[in-house]
Structures are given as structure tokens and as C-alpha cells.
Amino acid sequence: MRCIILICLCKAALISSFAQKPTLPQDYFISKIYTINPVLDINDTSAVRKEITRLADSLYLFCKHAGEDFIINDSALRRDPAIGIAATAIYRAQYKEAYDSLLSYTKALYTPSTVNGIHFLLELQIMAHLTADAAEGIVQAVNKKVAAINKDFQKDNVNTWKGIFHPDYIKVFDKAIVTTLQQAKGAANNQIEYSNVLYIVRCLALRDFLLQQHALLQRTLYALDPSKVEKMEVKIPLRNGAKLSALLFRDVNTKEKLPAIVSQSPYPSGGEATRGNIFGAYGYIYLYVDSRGRRQSEGDFFPYENDAQDFYDIIDWISKQPWCNGKVATTGGSYLGFTQWQAIRKKYRHPALKAINPMVAVGFGVDFPRWSNMFYPYILQWATYVSGKELNSALFSDYSFWRNKGLELYRRHIPFSKLDSLAGLPNPFFQKWVSHPDLDSYWKDILPAKEDYAALDIPVLSITGYFDGDQAGALYYYNNHHRYGGAAAQKNHYLLIGPYDHGGAQWNPAPSQQGILIEKEAQVPIYKYVIAWFDWTLKGKAKPAWIKDKITYFATGTGQWKGASSFEAATADTLKFYLHKTPVATEKRRTIYQLQARPVAVQQSLEYQHNITEAIDSAFIYYSSAPDTDSFEIASPYNLMFETAPLEKDIMLTDRVMADLYISLNVPDADFSINFSEVTPEGKVKAIGSSLLRCRYRKGGDKPELMTPGKVEKLSFNDAFIYIKKIAKGSKLRMEFESLNRPYYEKNYGFGGVVANEMTSEPRIIKATILMSREYPTCIKVPIGK
């Protein structure tokens, strides 16, 4: 009996101990900083190896602490200790632990069709130490992994790995280590954050393994698929006499002339073969061109300004090569999506251009470097990233550096235009952009014009995602082409959109997107869809089966892909929920107001005020609630919150949620934000979208007009992302309204001048009076399908 009691007491103690574990802080990893030996000689390879080994040991203990002493609810945060232990345990020769740790997270890294090459290389390194015969273990592991992949994708994975498991990648790892340490010892004053430590620790381990085993790996891969795509360095002459460097990929066993697919890019990553090998294996020539001034390309790089005329010369060159059949298409995402919309400008469009595939395309002046007609600190971070010949990767990914500089600017009320000098990184790109706060001729002369869209009659495949930071840009081009392009645009322009983030929508989405585990039906091979579309448009093959209509979209929550001729056609009705001053019965917060299906009968008003000069505490600014919880929003003293009653039936969102607010201000200008979310019957809070508005741009980004204090005006919040998803019966819709007072954006003090140059440390109260009545139908608008 005594034994039973002791056992029960021990179990109770263990349960109690587990229950008392704190939840892992959201910034546990991103806030961790390490110090590099200040006398480290980066040219001394032995010293560098010793220093990285020391950092690996410290990182191992840090990751172990995270897993053992905290509860990790956020699936996105589980990646850090899993990958961290897998990479660092190698240095301690604890290969079984490394293997178990890596496999604990592979569900979020691998899909049934794709295995992440870098993570698989780490897995192979571990497996080589867990088998008696390292070579045999590697071959068996590769064959076993390929056999486990869907047969339709085995060849694709093998050819992708050929680009990674290649001796050229040793140079990529070496370069990454040196540049990361150089930047840490320079601008960061011998400080290096967690992600960069993990990066160089992993790079050193993988380069050592690849140096030893690349010949065996290549033989193993070619035994599985004999396709031989050769990478060649070429020089492309421009009309001004300069030459652009480029990497060309083509199957040397193919004698016939083939279509060429081109990307123009400012990102010299070193990993271009991972995609070049795929296009080459599918019967295309792939050309990856470095923008002028980048890597070995001649000339001076100024983002976004020279891509149109350069693309003409690139297409002219490739179309005339003896192994090209004269047909040229373009592909790529983000900046590489932007350049494609430069290639179609009527003045620069080459007749050999037969199709374009812009993915997550940057809308210059639309969503970068202006977002909702506002500038934001990230634009300097990116401008620094692409300054010079090579990528400044370590500095770009130094989260602590950028957060601290943004906070300093915010707390000291320094004008936004001084951010680059505050950071010690003077940047001409940044300064030119912030000198054009309105959507003026600078931006418009670079963006395609009406006549460019009208003349565009070649096939277009646009791709974006519900979580894509450049969704606004991608849809800006899509909508303008359909607005000005006439019947040809309607016929030839297709859009694919699903639950993907910026990276996932560009090639092959991982199971986890933006920290959300997406449905299996949404885990589609986007690159394969793109190739099938090229086969149709360039080679005359059958129309891809994945195309449902002009718009092919994933209906989140249903597991189904659907089609529509437009978002308007997919929308059967628009529900309106009107703001009421009537409070919701709740114990979670002192006041939550109602959203009702009928407008207010007798006029009501709500006054919102906020001291825009107040520097909100960073612990509050950077606090992030655990997934699906609302403790941050509920605790905020800075917002007004509104909720509907529980929905009486399921609804399917088919477009962006919007809001019309009738407001009078006490100042001529102000910035506001609105967040839309779903509150499930279980109390989980799921984001639907966010919309920002600078009041002077209420009539458009090129039509600034200050508010008249005291005058009621309609403010339309209409730039939330499109998110097509099912909202279940019993859920509530929530709207939060507040002044935009965060270090993520330039501070608008409401004076009405050039915001980037404004400053004050004196209290400045923004008062917004929200009117609600039949005359002022303040509401949110929810588009729904049948």
C-alpha cells in the first residue's frame, strides 16, 4: 500500500511539475544574442572552425533548455529546437539524438511530393554516422527516401538534389560562413543573433559532409535519373555596352531547339541550380540573370529602375541562341515577379516574349516600399540587403539589430527619413523612396501604364497567397490587366491563389504556412503547375487539369479547389454588420461593442482618442499571444472592439472583408488600422485580415487631401488581404479599430506635412469620433458565396 502511495505521489509531483512549466516566450529564439571572439581572424580557417564549434555547443544547450523547461504550444516555434539540436548534436557526436530531433519536425518540412534538400543533406550526414558503412548508409538512405516519395515527383526531387548535393554548394556554404562572420564583426560589433549562429553552424557541418561525399551523392542521384542538366556561366550584352552575368541551365543530351524561360533577379544566392535543374529536366532552357550591378554583372544597381530595358536585351540575346527555338517566357516571384511586369511594357516588350508567370509580384509603390501609402522600416532592411555586389544576408536577418533601431527611432521621435543615418547605414535607395510620399510620377513612370496592359495579349499566370505579403501587388497587376486589357486579357490571364505565404506561393508550399498547418489538399506542387502551364502555352500540350476557371482558388476549411471567372462572380451576397454602441455581455474585457445586421435607428457616436506621441512599451508591442488566443487584443487599452452575435449558419468568405467608417477628426491627418478575425465557438481567435488607412489618401494614393477637423467623412478600409475560407456556424466576427502607433510603420503625428520628416515629443492627442446611424451607415462588409 505504501508503495502505491509513493508511486501516486511521484506521479502527482511529475504532473504538477509539468503543469508548472511556463509557455515558451514568442521571442525566446529571435532575442538570443551571442558574442563572437573579438580577436577572431576570419581568414584563419582553424580559428573559425574552433569558434563555430564553441557556438554550436552553446546553441545546443540553449535549444535543449527550450524543449525541457518550457511548454511549446506554437508549432512554428517547435522548429527551432528541433533543427537546432539536430545541427549542433553532430558536433558532440550525438548522432542518435540529432536524428530523432530532426525527424520530430520533418512533417513540417517534407510533403508527400517534396523533401527539403538542405534538411535532407543534414539527415544524410547523420545517417552516415549511424551505419557501420557510411557509404552504404548514404546510398540506402537516398534510395529509401526516393521510394517514399510519390512516383510522379521522384524525378523532380532527384534533380533538385543534384543542384544541392554538388561541389558548387561547398562554395555557397563557405561564402555564407565568411560573410556572416564579417558582418557580425563589423556592423554588429561582434554580436550575432541566434538564427545566424544556427545558420553558420549548419553550413560548416554540411560543407564538411559535402566535401567528403559529393562524388558518391552525385553517382547515386544519376543512377536514379540520368538527366544531365549542365550549368553554364554566360555574359549577356546590353545596348549600353555593359554585360550582365547569368547562369544558363539546359539538358546537354537534348539536341532539339527548346523554349527558354528567364528570370531577372537582384538575388545572387548560389542556389539557382535547384530550380534550373528542374526546368532543364522538363525540356526547357532556364536562364537566371543577375540584375545590373549584382554579382558579376556590370553597371550600377538601383532597384526597380532599369529592369524593363534590360529585360528586352536579355530576351533578344536568348531568343537568338542556336539551342533556343525563339520562344521565350519568364518566371519568378517577388522582385522577379515585378521584373516580368516590366518586360511587358509596350515600349520595351520583345516580340519573342510568349508568356509570363509573375508570382507574388512586388507592386512598386503599391505594397513596396509603400504599403497602404505608408513607409515602414523594413524597406531599409531590404535596401541594405541588396546594396553592393552580393547579398548582405547576415545583417538582413539580424532581427535584434533592426528591432532595436526601429525602437530607437520610435522612442526618440526621430523623423522616419533619418532611419538610415540612425542605423549607420546611409542608403540612396531609401532616401529616394521616402522623398516621394505620394503615388506620383516617379512610381507611375515605372509601373505599367494603361496602354501596356491594353497591348498585353500573351498568356499570363499570376500566383499569390492568402498570407503573401505581396498579395496587394500581385492583384494590382491582375486587376489592371483585366480592367484595361479587354477580351484578350480575360481570355489569357489566369490566377492561382491559396493558403500560402510569400515563399510558399513561389515554388512548393511546406505543410506549415505562416505558422498554420494547411490542409493536405492545399499542399500542391506549384512548380509542377507552372511547368504544365508552360507546356500548354509554349509547347501546345493539353490545358492543365488544375485550372478550374480564370481564378483557381482554395476554399480553406473545405479541402476543395474551386474556380470562378472573378471574385465578384464567386460572391453571391455581401453581409453588412453595423457598428452599435451597445455593449456585448462579456467577462473578458470591460467593453466590447456589438456588430448587428441592422443599422442604428437613432444616431450614436463613439469617441476614440490616443496620444500618438506615446511610445508604447516594447514588452506590449512585441508580445505575441499563443496561437488562436486573443490575450493581446483583449488586454490592449488602445483599441475599440466590436463583435457580431454567433453566426446562425456556415458562411464562405469569397473576397476581402472591408469596413466603411464615418469619422470626424480633430486633426488634419491620422493613421488607423482595423483587424478582422473569427472567434470560434471554442473561443479560438483566427485572423482574417488587416486594413490600414492614412486619412489623407482616403480618395487614393495619388490624391492626397487633408481632412477638415470636425467634418464627418467616410473612411473606407478596403486593402485587407483576400482570404477565401469557411467561417463555421456559431463563430463570431470581430473588428478592432485603433490608431496606428507602432514602430513597424513611420509615425504620423497628424500635422498634415510630409510624414517621413515629422517629429514631436509633445503630447498630441488624436481624437476620432465614429458616427453610427442610417445617415452614417458605419459597418463592415463581408462578401460570401452560395
PDB file of all heavy atoms in Angstrom, residues 63-86:
ATOM      1  N   CYS A  63      18.997  25.241 -26.978  1.00  0.00           N
ATOM      2  CA  CYS A  63      17.856  24.541 -27.587  1.00  0.00           C
ATOM      3  C   CYS A  63      17.315  23.449 -26.659  1.00  0.00           C
ATOM      4  O   CYS A  63      16.108  23.222 -26.585  1.00  0.00           O
ATOM      5  CB  CYS A  63      18.250  23.961 -28.927  1.00  0.00           C
ATOM      6  SG  CYS A  63      18.565  25.205 -30.206  1.00  0.00           S
ATOM      7  N   LYS A  64      18.211  22.752 -25.974  1.00  0.00           N
ATOM      8  CA  LYS A  64      17.783  21.737 -25.008  1.00  0.00           C
ATOM      9  C   LYS A  64      16.957  22.373 -23.895  1.00  0.00           C
ATOM     10  O   LYS A  64      15.940  21.823 -23.462  1.00  0.00           O
ATOM     11  CB  LYS A  64      19.004  21.033 -24.413  1.00  0.00           C
ATOM     12  CG  LYS A  64      19.733  20.114 -25.372  1.00  0.00           C
ATOM     13  CD  LYS A  64      19.006  18.792 -25.559  1.00  0.00           C
ATOM     14  CE  LYS A  64      19.193  17.880 -24.349  1.00  0.00           C
ATOM     15  NZ  LYS A  64      18.616  16.535 -24.608  1.00  0.00           N
ATOM     16  N   HIS A  65      17.396  23.533 -23.446  1.00  0.00           N
ATOM     17  CA  HIS A  65      16.676  24.261 -22.398  1.00  0.00           C
ATOM     18  C   HIS A  65      15.256  24.604 -22.843  1.00  0.00           C
ATOM     19  O   HIS A  65      14.301  24.486 -22.067  1.00  0.00           O
ATOM     20  CB  HIS A  65      17.455  25.538 -22.052  1.00  0.00           C
ATOM     21  CG  HIS A  65      16.752  26.463 -21.106  1.00  0.00           C
ATOM     22  ND1 HIS A  65      16.464  26.128 -19.807  1.00  0.00           N
ATOM     23  CD2 HIS A  65      16.258  27.709 -21.293  1.00  0.00           C
ATOM     24  CE1 HIS A  65      15.839  27.143 -19.223  1.00  0.00           C
ATOM     25  NE2 HIS A  65      15.699  28.116 -20.113  1.00  0.00           N
ATOM     26  N   ALA A  66      15.123  24.991 -24.114  1.00  0.00           N
ATOM     27  CA  ALA A  66      13.792  25.348 -24.630  1.00  0.00           C
ATOM     28  C   ALA A  66      12.853  24.158 -24.574  1.00  0.00           C
ATOM     29  O   ALA A  66      11.692  24.279 -24.161  1.00  0.00           O
ATOM     30  CB  ALA A  66      13.915  25.858 -26.060  1.00  0.00           C
ATOM     31  N   GLY A  67      13.341  22.987 -24.995  1.00  0.00           N
ATOM     32  CA  GLY A  67      12.483  21.811 -25.047  1.00  0.00           C
ATOM     33  C   GLY A  67      12.177  21.200 -23.699  1.00  0.00           C
ATOM     34  O   GLY A  67      11.108  20.619 -23.498  1.00  0.00           O
ATOM     35  N   GLU A  68      13.115  21.334 -22.749  1.00  0.00           N
ATOM     36  CA  GLU A  68      12.959  20.670 -21.448  1.00  0.00           C
ATOM     37  C   GLU A  68      12.271  21.544 -20.403  1.00  0.00           C
ATOM     38  O   GLU A  68      11.604  21.026 -19.504  1.00  0.00           O
ATOM     39  CB  GLU A  68      14.332  20.240 -20.929  1.00  0.00           C
ATOM     40  CG  GLU A  68      14.984  19.140 -21.764  1.00  0.00           C
ATOM     41  CD  GLU A  68      16.395  18.823 -21.317  1.00  0.00           C
ATOM     42  OE1 GLU A  68      16.912  19.566 -20.430  1.00  0.00           O
ATOM     43  OE2 GLU A  68      16.988  17.864 -21.845  1.00  0.00           O
ATOM     44  N   ASP A  69      12.427  22.842 -20.491  1.00  0.00           N
ATOM     45  CA  ASP A  69      11.951  23.725 -19.426  1.00  0.00           C
ATOM     46  C   ASP A  69      10.721  24.542 -19.790  1.00  0.00           C
ATOM     47  O   ASP A  69      10.221  25.300 -18.959  1.00  0.00           O
ATOM     48  CB  ASP A  69      13.074  24.680 -19.004  1.00  0.00           C
ATOM     49  CG  ASP A  69      14.263  23.944 -18.404  1.00  0.00           C
ATOM     50  OD1 ASP A  69      14.142  22.739 -18.128  1.00  0.00           O
ATOM     51  OD2 ASP A  69      15.317  24.570 -18.209  1.00  0.00           O
ATOM     52  N   PHE A  70      10.254  24.406 -21.010  1.00  0.00           N
ATOM     53  CA  PHE A  70       9.099  25.187 -21.439  1.00  0.00           C
ATOM     54  C   PHE A  70       8.092  24.296 -22.162  1.00  0.00           C
ATOM     55  O   PHE A  70       8.443  23.253 -22.707  1.00  0.00           O
ATOM     56  CB  PHE A  70       9.516  26.324 -22.392  1.00  0.00           C
ATOM     57  CG  PHE A  70      10.345  27.399 -21.766  1.00  0.00           C
ATOM     58  CD1 PHE A  70      11.733  27.342 -21.821  1.00  0.00           C
ATOM     59  CD2 PHE A  70       9.754  28.469 -21.117  1.00  0.00           C
ATOM     60  CE1 PHE A  70      12.509  28.331 -21.261  1.00  0.00           C
ATOM     61  CE2 PHE A  70      10.517  29.468 -20.549  1.00  0.00           C
ATOM     62  CZ  PHE A  70      11.904  29.397 -20.619  1.00  0.00           C
ATOM     63  N   ILE A  71       6.853  24.737 -22.156  1.00  0.00           N
ATOM     64  CA  ILE A  71       5.818  24.135 -22.989  1.00  0.00           C
ATOM     65  C   ILE A  71       5.789  24.930 -24.298  1.00  0.00           C
ATOM     66  O   ILE A  71       5.681  26.161 -24.286  1.00  0.00           O
ATOM     67  CB  ILE A  71       4.438  24.200 -22.307  1.00  0.00           C
ATOM     68  CG1 ILE A  71       4.458  23.423 -20.984  1.00  0.00           C
ATOM     69  CG2 ILE A  71       3.357  23.665 -23.236  1.00  0.00           C
ATOM     70  CD1 ILE A  71       3.208  23.618 -20.161  1.00  0.00           C
ATOM     71  N   ILE A  72       5.894  24.231 -25.430  1.00  0.00           N
ATOM     72  CA  ILE A  72       5.899  24.911 -26.730  1.00  0.00           C
ATOM     73  C   ILE A  72       4.582  24.616 -27.432  1.00  0.00           C
ATOM     74  O   ILE A  72       4.385  23.556 -28.018  1.00  0.00           O
ATOM     75  CB  ILE A  72       7.096  24.457 -27.594  1.00  0.00           C
ATOM     76  CG1 ILE A  72       8.407  24.595 -26.803  1.00  0.00           C
ATOM     77  CG2 ILE A  72       7.162  25.280 -28.874  1.00  0.00           C
ATOM     78  CD1 ILE A  72       9.636  24.141 -27.562  1.00  0.00           C
ATOM     79  N   ASN A  73       3.647  25.563 -27.342  1.00  0.00           N
ATOM     80  CA  ASN A  73       2.330  25.387 -27.950  1.00  0.00           C
ATOM     81  C   ASN A  73       2.341  25.723 -29.438  1.00  0.00           C
ATOM     82  O   ASN A  73       1.583  25.157 -30.224  1.00  0.00           O
ATOM     83  CB  ASN A  73       1.300  26.281 -27.247  1.00  0.00           C
ATOM     84  CG  ASN A  73       1.033  25.824 -25.821  1.00  0.00           C
ATOM     85  OD1 ASN A  73       0.953  24.631 -25.560  1.00  0.00           O
ATOM     86  ND2 ASN A  73       0.916  26.769 -24.894  1.00  0.00           N
ATOM     87  N   ASP A  74       3.190  26.680 -29.807  1.00  0.00           N
ATOM     88  CA  ASP A  74       3.216  27.163 -31.185  1.00  0.00           C
ATOM     89  C   ASP A  74       4.030  26.208 -32.049  1.00  0.00           C
ATOM     90  O   ASP A  74       5.229  26.039 -31.851  1.00  0.00           O
ATOM     91  CB  ASP A  74       3.841  28.564 -31.203  1.00  0.00           C
ATOM     92  CG  ASP A  74       3.696  29.246 -32.560  1.00  0.00           C
ATOM     93  OD1 ASP A  74       3.484  28.541 -33.552  1.00  0.00           O
ATOM     94  OD2 ASP A  74       3.809  30.478 -32.606  1.00  0.00           O
ATOM     95  N   SER A  75       3.365  25.594 -33.037  1.00  0.00           N
ATOM     96  CA  SER A  75       4.062  24.628 -33.888  1.00  0.00           C
ATOM     97  C   SER A  75       5.209  25.275 -34.652  1.00  0.00           C
ATOM     98  O   SER A  75       6.214  24.623 -34.950  1.00  0.00           O
ATOM     99  CB  SER A  75       3.078  23.990 -34.875  1.00  0.00           C
ATOM    100  OG  SER A  75       2.507  24.976 -35.718  1.00  0.00           O
ATOM    101  N   ALA A  76       5.077  26.571 -34.966  1.00  0.00           N
ATOM    102  CA  ALA A  76       6.149  27.258 -35.689  1.00  0.00           C
ATOM    103  C   ALA A  76       7.406  27.357 -34.835  1.00  0.00           C
ATOM    104  O   ALA A  76       8.525  27.318 -35.351  1.00  0.00           O
ATOM    105  CB  ALA A  76       5.691  28.655 -36.107  1.00  0.00           C
ATOM    106  N   LEU A  77       7.228  27.466 -33.507  1.00  0.00           N
ATOM    107  CA  LEU A  77       8.378  27.583 -32.616  1.00  0.00           C
ATOM    108  C   LEU A  77       9.061  26.242 -32.366  1.00  0.00           C
ATOM    109  O   LEU A  77      10.209  26.205 -31.922  1.00  0.00           O
ATOM    110  CB  LEU A  77       7.959  28.197 -31.270  1.00  0.00           C
ATOM    111  CG  LEU A  77       7.612  29.686 -31.275  1.00  0.00           C
ATOM    112  CD1 LEU A  77       7.211  30.138 -29.881  1.00  0.00           C
ATOM    113  CD2 LEU A  77       8.780  30.519 -31.774  1.00  0.00           C
ATOM    114  N   ARG A  78       8.368  25.147 -32.632  1.00  0.00           N
ATOM    115  CA  ARG A  78       8.980  23.836 -32.405  1.00  0.00           C
ATOM    116  C   ARG A  78      10.120  23.575 -33.387  1.00  0.00           C
ATOM    117  O   ARG A  78      10.987  22.746 -33.138  1.00  0.00           O
ATOM    118  CB  ARG A  78       7.926  22.735 -32.527  1.00  0.00           C
ATOM    119  CG  ARG A  78       6.846  22.804 -31.452  1.00  0.00           C
ATOM    120  CD  ARG A  78       6.007  21.540 -31.421  1.00  0.00           C
ATOM    121  NE  ARG A  78       4.817  21.737 -30.610  1.00  0.00           N
ATOM    122  CZ  ARG A  78       3.585  21.796 -31.092  1.00  0.00           C
ATOM    123  NH1 ARG A  78       3.382  21.634 -32.396  1.00  0.00           N
ATOM    124  NH2 ARG A  78       2.555  21.985 -30.309  1.00  0.00           N
ATOM    125  N   ARG A  79      10.090  24.265 -34.494  1.00  0.00           N
ATOM    126  CA  ARG A  79      11.130  24.056 -35.498  1.00  0.00           C
ATOM    127  C   ARG A  79      12.503  24.413 -34.936  1.00  0.00           C
ATOM    128  O   ARG A  79      13.488  23.713 -35.214  1.00  0.00           O
ATOM    129  CB  ARG A  79      10.833  24.928 -36.720  1.00  0.00           C
ATOM    130  CG  ARG A  79      11.924  24.885 -37.767  1.00  0.00           C
ATOM    131  CD  ARG A  79      11.686  25.920 -38.849  1.00  0.00           C
ATOM    132  NE  ARG A  79      12.689  25.845 -39.892  1.00  0.00           N
ATOM    133  CZ  ARG A  79      13.878  26.406 -39.837  1.00  0.00           C
ATOM    134  NH1 ARG A  79      14.234  27.080 -38.752  1.00  0.00           N
ATOM    135  NH2 ARG A  79      14.734  26.296 -40.839  1.00  0.00           N
ATOM    136  N   ASP A  80      12.597  25.503 -34.177  1.00  0.00           N
ATOM    137  CA  ASP A  80      13.896  25.995 -33.737  1.00  0.00           C
ATOM    138  C   ASP A  80      14.672  25.002 -32.883  1.00  0.00           C
ATOM    139  O   ASP A  80      15.827  24.709 -33.197  1.00  0.00           O
ATOM    140  CB  ASP A  80      13.716  27.329 -33.005  1.00  0.00           C
ATOM    141  CG  ASP A  80      13.272  28.433 -33.950  1.00  0.00           C
ATOM    142  OD1 ASP A  80      14.130  28.981 -34.658  1.00  0.00           O
ATOM    143  OD2 ASP A  80      12.074  28.734 -33.992  1.00  0.00           O
ATOM    144  N   PRO A  81      14.083  24.468 -31.798  1.00  0.00           N
ATOM    145  CA  PRO A  81      14.861  23.492 -31.031  1.00  0.00           C
ATOM    146  C   PRO A  81      15.094  22.202 -31.805  1.00  0.00           C
ATOM    147  O   PRO A  81      16.137  21.562 -31.641  1.00  0.00           O
ATOM    148  CB  PRO A  81      14.009  23.252 -29.782  1.00  0.00           C
ATOM    149  CG  PRO A  81      12.629  23.642 -30.157  1.00  0.00           C
ATOM    150  CD  PRO A  81      12.787  24.769 -31.137  1.00  0.00           C
ATOM    151  N   ALA A  82      14.148  21.793 -32.660  1.00  0.00           N
ATOM    152  CA  ALA A  82      14.312  20.550 -33.415  1.00  0.00           C
ATOM    153  C   ALA A  82      15.501  20.640 -34.368  1.00  0.00           C
ATOM    154  O   ALA A  82      16.386  19.783 -34.377  1.00  0.00           O
ATOM    155  CB  ALA A  82      13.033  20.230 -34.189  1.00  0.00           C
ATOM    156  N   ILE A  83      15.539  21.702 -35.172  1.00  0.00           N
ATOM    157  CA  ILE A  83      16.637  21.872 -36.121  1.00  0.00           C
ATOM    158  C   ILE A  83      17.921  22.231 -35.385  1.00  0.00           C
ATOM    159  O   ILE A  83      19.015  21.782 -35.754  1.00  0.00           O
ATOM    160  CB  ILE A  83      16.292  22.951 -37.160  1.00  0.00           C
ATOM    161  CG1 ILE A  83      14.995  22.595 -37.891  1.00  0.00           C
ATOM    162  CG2 ILE A  83      17.435  23.127 -38.151  1.00  0.00           C
ATOM    163  CD1 ILE A  83      15.024  21.278 -38.610  1.00  0.00           C
ATOM    164  N   GLY A  84      17.794  23.039 -34.337  1.00  0.00           N
ATOM    165  CA  GLY A  84      18.972  23.439 -33.574  1.00  0.00           C
ATOM    166  C   GLY A  84      19.691  22.255 -32.954  1.00  0.00           C
ATOM    167  O   GLY A  84      20.921  22.129 -33.051  1.00  0.00           O
ATOM    168  N   ILE A  85      18.951  21.356 -32.322  1.00  0.00           N
ATOM    169  CA  ILE A  85      19.561  20.168 -31.703  1.00  0.00           C
ATOM    170  C   ILE A  85      20.115  19.243 -32.779  1.00  0.00           C
ATOM    171  O   ILE A  85      21.206  18.687 -32.640  1.00  0.00           O
ATOM    172  CB  ILE A  85      18.542  19.445 -30.804  1.00  0.00           C
ATOM    173  CG1 ILE A  85      18.227  20.314 -29.571  1.00  0.00           C
ATOM    174  CG2 ILE A  85      19.070  18.081 -30.375  1.00  0.00           C
ATOM    175  CD1 ILE A  85      17.106  19.782 -28.713  1.00  0.00           C
ATOM    176  N   ALA A  86      19.381  19.083 -33.884  1.00  0.00           N
ATOM    177  CA  ALA A  86      19.848  18.207 -34.958  1.00  0.00           C
ATOM    178  C   ALA A  86      21.193  18.671 -35.500  1.00  0.00           C
ATOM    179  O   ALA A  86      22.099  17.864 -35.749  1.00  0.00           O
ATOM    180  CB  ALA A  86      18.816  18.158 -36.077  1.00  0.00           C
TER     181      ALA A  86
END
